[in-house]
Amino acid sequence: IRKILKFLEENKSTYHAPFQKLQKEVQQYRTEANDNYKFLRTLEVYFQQLDNSNDFLSLVDLYVPIMHTILLIFNHSKFYNTPPRLVVLIREICNAIIAK
């Protein structure tokens, strides 16, 4: 991408500025996605246990660690720290519990 930007700049292309803006946006979203992945993968083990559990009563033991992990994500994540994002996450947990 940098070579393309350099080429566009050297040739004084009118596409240089829009392409540069697009490149910055893509980089920003990539950083956000990497950060979200880093934090959300900490829930993976709990979701696997939730999916693999055959005993509905054993799910109660997962509530505290799941909610604690969500709180840590909310407090430490740069991007996954807004109520709308958490609503989606908690809704998915509720749907998984209801499915059991």
Side-chain angles (χ1 to χ4, degrees):
I1 292 177
R2 291 179 188 176
K3 289 180 182 180
I4 295 170
L5 278 171
K6 184 178 178 182
F7 176 81
L8 292 173
E9 184 178 20
E10 287 173 354
N11 290 295
K12 300 187 187 322
S13 172
T14 58
Y15 294 109
H16 178 262
F19 193 79
Q20 186 175 30
K21 180 182 175 193
L22 179 63
Q23 185 269 334
K24 286 180 183 179
E25 288 176 9
V26 168
Q27 182 61 37
Q28 178 185 355
Y29 292 129
R30 179 177 179 231
T31 302
E32 181 178 343
N34 288 340
D35 189 69
N36 289 344
Y37 174 75
K38 177 177 73 174
F39 285 99
L40 292 177
R41 75 177 175 179
T42 61
L43 288 168
E44 184 176 16
V45 67
Y46 300 119
F47 283 120
Q48 288 173 349
Q49 291 174 5
L50 189 65
D51 286 340
N52 296 332
S53 176
N54 293 325
D55 182 23
F56 185 77
L57 295 177
S58 69
L59 297 179
V60 173
D61 297 334
L62 295 175
Y63 297 160
V64 172
I66 287 174
M67 295 309 286
H68 178 73
T69 305
I70 290 172
L71 177 66
L72 290 173
I73 291 169
F74 186 80
N75 286 335
H76 297 286
S77 175
K78 295 177 188 173
F79 303 99
Y80 219 89
N81 58 1
T82 61
R85 294 261 177 121
L86 293 182
V87 166
V88 170
L89 187 58
I90 292 172
R91 183 179 298 137
E92 289 298 319
I93 294 167
C94 291
N95 287 343
I97 293 169
I98 290 168
K100 290 291 172 180

